[in-house]
């Protein structure tokens, strides 16, 4: 069962369309895997749409009946004076409905991702980002996305069976969304759909028994804290 979910603020921001693409992909992919958050996001999106279509709805309810009549009277006089035709809503809707049906229907089917002869299924939100090459270093493979978000890096990350990421902390934040397989660290065990956000207060060394595929977002290099991997810290800006 999924135990780690995006904070409510992230879901609200996503519903309002204000998240950067890297984080929007993460929230969308999580919601594709998590029914609870998917239902919450649908409700928040409906609320955001209603607010956008009727931003003054709450204020309008406070108008008195007399003010409404007065406004309608002024509007009627203005329309008569300027000879502007009143919009026929029914005719407008009929015209919209008469338009030919769209032929370019979005394909929301899950996608197949292959790395090192392993096949994984991932949510359709990744459809536009899977043409990049895999970069392979031992048991770890990475497909970095081209999102153009300054220092933020988004990638698919694959760890082979019996693989691990050396112990590290974070100079910024690290988001990991587990898409397939399983991994564990000193904080617990993770299943597909888990949405894990860590920062400089956390140290961990993710390990996987059977292999896993993740989507990761970082806004600063990792800082390795143990063994020979510490030798990578001076070039962290180049490899994260």
């Amino acid at each position: 069962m999924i135990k780690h979910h995006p904070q409510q603020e992230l879901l609200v921001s996503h519903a309002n369309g204000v998240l950067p693409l890297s984080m929007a992909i993460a929230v969308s992919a999580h919601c594709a895997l998590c029914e609870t958050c998917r239902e919450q996001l649908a409700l928040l999106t409906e609320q955001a749409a209603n607010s956008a279509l009727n931003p003054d709805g709450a204020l309008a309810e406070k108008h008195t009946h007399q003010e409404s009549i007065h406004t309608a009277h002024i509007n009627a006089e203005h329309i008569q004076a300027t000879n502007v035709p009143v919009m026929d809503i029914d005719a407008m809707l009929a015209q919209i409905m008469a338009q030919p049906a769209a032929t370019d229907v979005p394909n929301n089917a899950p996608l197949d991702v292959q790395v090192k002869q392993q096949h994984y299924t991932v949510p359709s939100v990744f459809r536009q980002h899977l043409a990049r090459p895999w970069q392979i270093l031992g048991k770890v493979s990475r497909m970095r996305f081209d999102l153009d978000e300054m220092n933020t890096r988004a990638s698919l990350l694959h760890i082979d069976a019996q693989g691990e990421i050396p112990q590290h902390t974070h100079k910024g934040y690290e988001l990991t969304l587990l898409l397939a397989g399983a991994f564990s660290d000193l904080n617990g065990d993770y299943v597909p759909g888990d949405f894990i956000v860590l920062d400089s207060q956390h140290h961990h060394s993710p390990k996987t028994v059977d292999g896993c595929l993740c989507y990761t977002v970082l806004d600063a290099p990792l800082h390795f804290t143990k063994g020979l991997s510490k030798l990578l810290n001076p070039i962290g800006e180049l490899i994260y």
Side-chain angles (χ1 to χ4, degrees):
M1 183 176 67
I2 298 173
K3 295 177 291 186
H4 303 273
H5 305 267
Q7 293 183 350
Q8 185 74 5
E9 291 81 0
L10 275 179
L11 292 177
V12 171
S13 295
H14 187 57
N16 284 278
V18 297
L19 286 180
L21 181 56
S22 58
M23 193 62 70
I25 290 172
V27 174
S28 292
H30 170 80
C31 289
L33 300 171
C34 174
E35 183 177 0
T36 299
C37 289
R38 184 164 62 248
E39 292 175 352
Q40 289 185 20
L41 182 60
L43 179 60
L44 291 168
T45 301
E46 181 180 357
Q47 292 173 352
N50 290 337
S51 177
L53 292 172
N54 187 24
D56 299 322
L59 182 61
E61 292 178 359
K62 298 180 181 180
H63 288 173
T64 64
H65 180 62
Q66 182 178 0
E67 290 172 331
S68 298
I69 294 175
H70 181 63
T71 301
H73 178 67
I74 292 175
N75 288 340
E77 288 185 342
H78 176 71
I79 291 171
Q80 270 191 334
T82 57
N83 197 30
V84 176
V86 179
M87 180 177 291
D88 187 337
I89 298 298
D90 291 336
M92 181 181 68
L93 291 175
Q95 185 179 11
I96 293 173
M97 297 301 293
Q99 298 297 315
T103 56
D104 187 15
V105 179
N107 185 354
N108 294 322
L111 307 171
D112 179 74
V113 173
Q114 180 178 355
V115 52
K116 290 186 173 180
Q117 288 75 54
Q118 299 292 319
H119 288 265
Y120 298 95
T121 299
V122 300
S124 62
V125 68
F126 294 105
R127 185 175 304 279
Q128 304 298 322
H129 307 285
L130 299 181
R132 308 284 291 181
W134 287 98
Q135 301 169 323
I136 299 174
L137 180 62
K139 288 182 175 290
V140 179
S141 304
R142 179 181 67 186
M143 180 192 293
R144 179 179 290 171
F145 293 178
D146 184 14
L147 301 185
D148 192 22
E149 292 185 6
M150 301 297 289
N151 293 329
T152 299
R153 310 286 171 85
S155 309
L156 285 182
L157 186 73
H158 177 260
I159 308 176
D160 292 347
Q162 302 300 323
E164 68 177 286
I165 304 295
Q167 182 172 296
H168 62 273
T169 185
H170 314 88
K171 294 183 178 180
Y173 74 83
E174 175 192 66
L175 161 68
T176 302
L177 173 65
L178 181 56
L179 297 171
F183 74 86
S184 61
D185 61 16
L186 57 83
N187 299 307
D189 302 319
Y190 305 98
V191 300
D194 274 333
F195 189 102
I196 310 123
V197 180
L198 303 177
D199 57 23
S200 60
Q201 299 180 19
H202 303 92
H203 292 71
H204 70 149
S205 178
K207 302 177 178 65
T208 178
V209 175
D210 299 316
C212 65
L213 180 69
C214 304
Y215 172 67
T216 65
V217 180
L218 301 94
D219 68 344
L222 303 180
H223 182 75
F224 295 100
T225 58
K226 189 175 181 179
L228 293 176
S229 61
K230 291 192 293 184
L231 297 175
L232 298 174
N233 288 329
I235 60 171
E237 293 285 348
L238 302 176
I239 64 174
Y240 85 97

